[in-house]
Amino acid sequence: AQKITQTQPGMFVQEKEAVTLDCTYDTSDPSYGLFWYKQPSSGEMIFLIYQGSYDQQNATEGRYSLNFQKARKSANLVISASQLGDSAMYFCAMRASGSARQLTFGSGTQLTVLP
Amino acid sequence: NAGVTQTPKFRILKIGQSMTLQCTQDMNHNYMYWYRQDPGMGLKLIYYSVGAGITDKGEVPNGYNVSRSTTEDFPLRLELAAPSQTSVYFCASSYEGQVRTEAFFGQGTRLTVV
């Protein structure tokens, strides 16, 4: 079974500062993928970034980067230069090779960017 | 390119009523999913399908049924609505179930059972 844990229900960050959203995972599969999705107040799910378990480098996509620490089973999302539009719910999710059909989600972190 | 389309966007049901949540995708994805999201919570998998004619239960299937007669469509059926089914429902699809394949989501259906 696979599990995603997000321990920060809510986070606040000042505009233009960086923020780290925590995600830890648990799986016995050696091959897995980790995803981050953004859900603004309008409700849609927006894919942000992906990290594979065998990827040698941490993933980056614009202002988003993933701090992947495989031994600690953590995949934290770093948002640099926060913008007001970054205020949203952020979900960490995982798909493992043994259950590649399923995408398992954490409970989410509500990020609020302050002006 | 519409992506994943869900209808309706909002619905209020009375206890015991039935309804079908529609989901269609135009990306020729073979994997499709139904999730529910309770307030302040993450998404829980209800059912999924790996292709036309093939469906399987997820984490919380009780009270729901699905069918997959075509690649494009994956409707979710609620037979006897209960207040515990008040939630936001998301349909998603992906090209295949490999670990690095992202899922594309519909806009969601907000269902209230009274």
Side-chain angles (χ1 to χ4, degrees):
Chain A
Q2 53 198 48
K3 185 178 180 181
I4 295 283
T5 302
Q6 294 179 256
T7 57
Q8 305 156 313
M11 288 282 287
F12 293 88
V13 65
Q14 210 66 38
E15 194 178 8
K16 300 181 184 177
E17 293 186 349
V19 63
T20 298
L21 306 183
D22 294 342
C23 172
T24 59
Y25 60 91
D26 188 29
T27 181
S28 56
D29 276 300
S31 176
Y32 51 88
L34 295 152
F35 303 78
W36 277 91
Y37 283 84
K38 173 184 178 181
Q39 186 180 44
S41 58
S42 52
E44 70 267 32
M45 296 289 286
I46 302 168
F47 166 72
L48 295 177
I49 195 167
Y50 166 83
Q51 179 81 47
S53 60
Y54 292 123
D55 291 346
Q56 294 298 311
Q57 293 186 332
N58 287 345
T60 60
E61 288 286 349
R63 293 187 299 110
Y64 304 109
S65 61
L66 212 150
N67 183 3
F68 180 50
Q69 298 186 44
K70 195 170 181 177
R72 297 181 61 185
K73 293 191 174 180
S74 72
N76 299 337
L77 177 70
V78 180
I79 305 175
S80 63
S82 297
Q83 301 173 355
L84 295 178
D86 294 334
S87 293
M89 181 73 87
Y90 288 81
F91 291 102
C92 181
M94 178 172 68
R95 173 179 272 149
S97 60
S99 57
R101 301 163 177 191
Q102 300 188 23
L103 192 60
T104 301
F105 284 82
S107 56
T109 296
Q110 180 68 50
L111 176 67
T112 302
V113 180
L114 303 171
Chain B
N1 196 345
V4 180
T5 302
Q6 290 182 236
T7 56
K9 288 187 170 53
F10 302 93
R11 183 72 186 266
I12 298 175
L13 275 184
K14 292 184 179 179
I15 295 172
Q17 286 186 323
S18 302
M19 77 164 295
T20 299
L21 281 67
Q22 301 291 344
C23 175
T24 187
Q25 52 92 9
D26 61 0
M27 297 174 282
N28 202 32
H29 286 170
N30 48 356
Y31 280 60
M32 295 188 75
Y33 310 85
W34 275 106
Y35 289 89
R36 61 176 286 173
Q37 182 183 22
D38 297 331
M41 303 295 287
L43 280 69
K44 293 187 177 181
L45 184 64
I46 306 172
Y47 270 95
Y48 64 96
S49 169
V50 301
I54 306 170
T55 62
D56 208 347
K57 297 177 180 178
E59 184 183 359
V60 289
N62 291 345
Y64 307 95
N65 279 300
V66 294
S67 60
R68 184 93 181 272
S69 57
T70 67
T71 299
E72 294 78 19
D73 300 309
F74 190 40
L76 178 72
R77 178 81 177 164
L78 283 72
E79 289 294 347
L80 292 170
S84 61
Q85 293 178 304
T86 294
S87 190
V88 179
Y89 292 83
F90 286 97
C91 179
S93 72
S94 64
Y95 179 61
E96 56 187 7
Q98 292 186 2
V99 294
R100 63 174 50 248
T101 308
E102 72 186 85
F104 295 82
F105 284 81
Q107 295 285 334
T109 296
R110 187 174 296 274
L111 175 68
T112 303
V113 181
V114 297

